[in-house]
Amino acid sequence: MLVGRQKRAGQLGQARSNRVRTAADVAHRQRSRAGNVVRLHSSGSHPLTHIAENDCLHAYESRSKAAFDKIEPVLREIAQYQHDTNFVIKAQELGRLLLSLEFPGHLLENTWIAPLDMGKLYAWCVFETFQRFADEFYGEKPLAQESDADFQRFIESCGFHTLDFSPCADGRLAHTISYVLRLPYKGVRRKSYAGAMFDVEDSLQKWVEVEHKRLSESLPNSASEPTRYLKAAVYHYSSSLPDQEGCAAHGSDAVKAAEGAMSRLLAFQQGVQNSFCCGASIDLMLIGIDTDNDAIRIHCPDANGNPDGENYVDAQEVYDATLDANPADSERVISELIEQKNPAASSAYNKGLVKFMARLLFNNISQIDYVRNHFNGCYSDIGHQERFIGMGVGFEEVQLRNLTYFAYLKTVEQNAIDVDVGIKIFTGLNIKRGLPAPVVIRYDYHGNVPGARERAVAKVECLQQAMAARFPEQTQRGLIHTMLVVRDCTADNSIEVVGGSTQSGAVGGGH
Ligand SMILES: [Zn+2]
């Protein structure tokens, strides 16, 4: 049964199929002219692509998203029986069989007198599925990569001790670390903001924390080591529908998106310089992602090491230029390409930065083939298809594209723009069809700090009230549902559910 999201995605895919084929043909012809097309691996992949890793990542993405996407069709089926005398038994049977879920009794009772609250049941299913998804992530570690120590050694060899990335909060960038850049998620701090317009003070605070740890505990390395803190901002654009499917926070304008992100990077560097006189201990990186096919562009460093707004290396160029390279040579070939693009990049100061850029571009080759082989070179859901909103602090487990719209915030008022953009996206996806926007409100805490859990619980309750106050109509009509979760990020455990609007005794959508 093709309904809702699946049907819409199908229609989108069909409407775009001509364009996708044309784009693929053009790419094919270009490669033929360069004489490279014959050099592709027999599997149709680039010789440097990690095919087995791609297969694992695809299996994880497919099964995780399928669990969310089957909720709506199953609930449509269940809805047909709501006036039957044995409705509860039938609904539970279908829930167990098709969703492997046991519905809570309070959501199914009294349907002979009042209509079944389908929106609440839908939100409960999304939340339950999210909880299982998180339990799998922390319990089975499906995205575990190279060891933390190996990765730390690698980044130190590039001259860095910490990686701090801020992609746009758009769900189409949620897989930036684990998929697009193929970096271990534990080795990179990720904080997402609408338009990659990250909170400069928050990064400043993190920088202070990191440098203090280096001084007091020599972690991750000693403060006497001449390594730097790398802050990267990741903006995005859509090559096929640039005016519609680019970054909503920047009016779908790729140049504005890059400039906006760059302005925050410079403000952060300046902030460190003005407050601590050591702006030189910061390196900046600006990355763009084409959300149609996950190909990245990295802006080349200028003579001072700062990203050059005009000059960038496109991963597709790297893909074509390395078709003959063996893995051992690839870093050199890619580094040369970066230096050709911008001779300033070859300065001794930029050596480590170029090495790190080369690694990211190398890694992105696998992701380009991931989209080529599993999605025909262009995602069918090139627009928003997020399954829920994630609001608050945390969400390390969400490493999949288009699963979650992030609103990283400590108070709703402080980051109202991020929340409003999220509700606007979900008005298009769900609310206008009468389905609620499921909002997971989350706060991670450090379990070794006395009282931290209690404060995290108070925080999520406060965020829930602020959401209800900001969106009173949607909340009252049950068009926004919330689940409250906390997590001890110093332990390796999954999330803990501490409340929410679909729980027994909760009234409406917001309490
Ligand atoms: Zn964006």
Side-chain angles (χ1 to χ4, degrees):
M1 186 156 68
L2 263 182
V3 288
R5 187 189 307 283
Q6 287 167 301
K7 189 170 180 184
R8 290 200 315 283
Q11 285 165 343
L12 286 172
Q14 219 166 23
R16 292 192 191 109
S17 63
N18 289 340
R19 180 181 47 68
V20 173
R21 264 201 298 278
T22 311
D25 289 347
V26 171
H28 179 82
R29 278 199 298 275
Q30 280 170 345
R31 274 196 294 280
S32 296
R33 269 204 304 275
N36 288 337
V37 78
V38 290
R39 293 177 209 139
L40 283 177
H41 191 269
S42 56
S43 65
S45 299
H46 190 289
L48 300 178
T49 289
H50 293 287
I51 297 171
E53 184 183 84
N54 274 4
D55 291 344
C56 284
L57 288 171
H58 184 244
Y60 175 64
E61 178 175 15
S62 312
R63 75 167 183 276
S64 303
K65 286 184 172 171
F68 287 94
D69 293 344
K70 63 191 177 182
I71 293 171
E72 198 179 321
V74 171
L75 292 187
R76 274 175 191 257
E77 202 168 338
I78 287 176
Q80 296 170 32
Y81 306 108
Q82 62 177 307
H83 299 297
D84 291 9
T85 44
N86 59 348
F87 168 66
V88 175
I89 295 169
K90 229 173 201 170
Q92 292 292 20
E93 265 175 23
L94 286 170
R96 273 193 294 268
L97 186 71
L98 302 173
L99 298 174
S100 310
L101 294 177
E102 186 81 28
F103 300 123
H106 72 275
L107 294 180
L108 301 178
E109 284 157 6
N110 300 326
T111 54
W112 62 275
I113 197 163
L116 186 61
D117 188 343
M118 228 42 209
K120 203 173 198 177
L121 192 58
Y122 169 80
W124 179 87
C125 290
V126 172
F127 295 148
E128 188 70 14
T129 305
F130 170 65
Q131 195 180 349
R132 289 178 179 205
F133 167 80
D135 291 348
E136 181 196 345
F137 184 86
Y138 292 107
E140 295 167 34
K141 303 196 169 30
L143 293 180
Q145 287 186 344
E146 63 186 301
S147 83
D148 297 348
D150 287 349
F151 185 67
Q152 188 61 31
R153 260 195 298 279
F154 167 70
I155 67 166
E156 286 180 20
S157 77
C158 297
F160 308 119
H161 51 263
T162 300
L163 305 180
D164 176 355
F165 277 53
S166 282
C168 177
D170 191 308
R172 293 170 297 172
L173 272 75
H175 64 323
T176 296
I177 305 301
S178 293
Y179 281 69
V180 178
L181 304 176
R182 304 286 168 108
L183 298 176
Y185 61 89
K186 273 189 173 298
V188 184
R189 177 184 196 245
R190 175 190 64 174
K191 292 281 174 277
S192 306
Y193 294 88
M197 301 296 280
F198 64 89
D199 182 334
V200 173
E201 274 71 27
D202 178 83
S203 276
L204 212 51
Q205 198 183 330
K206 183 68 191 176
W207 179 83
V208 171
E209 201 181 292
V210 166
E211 298 307 321
H212 183 265
K213 233 180 169 159
R214 291 179 73 215
L215 275 170
S216 60
E217 297 173 51
S218 289
L219 285 174
N221 66 0
S222 159
S224 61
E225 297 286 330
T227 52
R228 300 185 295 275
Y229 182 106
L230 180 70
K231 177 74 201 181
V234 187
Y235 68 94
H236 62 105
Y237 55 95
S238 158
S239 54
S240 62
L241 290 173
D243 301 330
Q244 294 151 46
E245 297 296 354
C247 184
H250 295 288
S252 256
D253 183 328
V255 174
K256 277 192 187 149
E259 285 172 357
M262 191 60 208
S263 69
R264 290 291 159 110
L265 288 173
L266 292 173
F268 171 56
Q269 190 180 50
Q270 195 69 50
V272 173
Q273 179 63 40
N274 295 352
S275 314
F276 305 95
C277 300
C278 41
S281 69
I282 305 286
D283 261 344
L284 305 178
M285 185 174 270
L286 183 62
I287 302 174
I289 297 182
D290 181 348
T291 50
D292 290 4
N293 55 27
D294 287 344
I296 59 168
R297 54 166 71 147
I298 309 186
H299 289 257
C300 296
D302 62 18
N304 300 320
N306 284 342
D308 182 334
E310 312 278 309
N311 242 320
Y312 53 79
V313 179
D314 198 296
Q316 193 62 56
E317 283 175 62
V318 172
Y319 187 104
D320 292 340
T322 51
L323 280 164
D324 276 337
N326 62 49
D329 278 346
S330 60
E331 189 186 302
R332 181 186 51 77
V333 172
I334 301 171
S335 299
E336 282 170 7
L337 197 75
I338 297 167
E339 285 159 12
Q340 269 168 29
K341 277 267 168 181
N342 190 352
S346 62
S347 75
Y349 177 80
N350 288 327
K351 220 173 149 215
L353 192 58
V354 169
K355 180 179 173 182
F356 186 64
M357 280 173 72
R359 169 69 81 98
L360 295 182
L361 289 160
F362 173 87
N363 289 357
N364 191 237
I365 290 172
S366 290
Q367 185 65 8
I368 291 175
D369 273 342
Y370 181 85
V371 183
R372 275 169 51 110
N373 296 336
H374 294 291
F375 302 92
N376 241 341
C378 180
Y379 288 111
S380 59
D381 57 340
I382 65 169
H384 288 283
Q385 284 290 317
E386 290 95 338
R387 278 67 173 177
F388 61 91
I389 295 175
M391 199 175 102
V393 175
F395 295 104
E396 184 182 81
E397 68 282 358
V398 177
Q399 301 283 337
L400 290 177
R401 180 182 184 276
N402 240 344
L403 186 70
T404 314
Y405 172 84
F406 286 117
Y408 175 74
L409 49 83
K410 289 175 181 163
T411 67
V412 168
E413 297 75 17
Q414 184 197 358
N415 284 58
I417 292 179
D418 293 48
V419 180
D420 291 351
V421 170
I423 294 297
K424 192 174 160 209
I425 290 167
F426 271 82
T427 300
L429 289 173
N430 285 12
I431 294 177
K432 73 175 183 200
R433 298 189 295 133
L435 272 183
V439 184
V440 179
I441 300 181
R442 159 80 163 268
Y443 218 84
D444 281 9
Y445 62 93
H446 293 271
N448 50 2
V449 179
R453 183 188 169 278
E454 287 68 27
R455 284 191 291 277
V457 172
K459 201 86 196 168
V460 291
E461 285 169 351
C462 191
L463 287 171
Q464 184 189 36
Q465 282 161 18
M467 276 298 280
R470 191 164 183 87
F471 303 100
E473 200 209 322
Q474 292 93 326
T475 303
Q476 248 165 15
R477 291 175 55 206
L479 291 171
I480 292 179
H481 272 291
T482 51
M483 175 166 81
L484 310 184
V485 300
V486 297
R487 179 171 178 264
D488 178 359
C489 56
T490 52
D492 215 10
N493 301 333
S494 186
I495 55 172
E496 180 192 355
V497 179
V498 294
S501 63
T502 61
Q503 295 203 337
S504 176
V507 184
H511 300 280

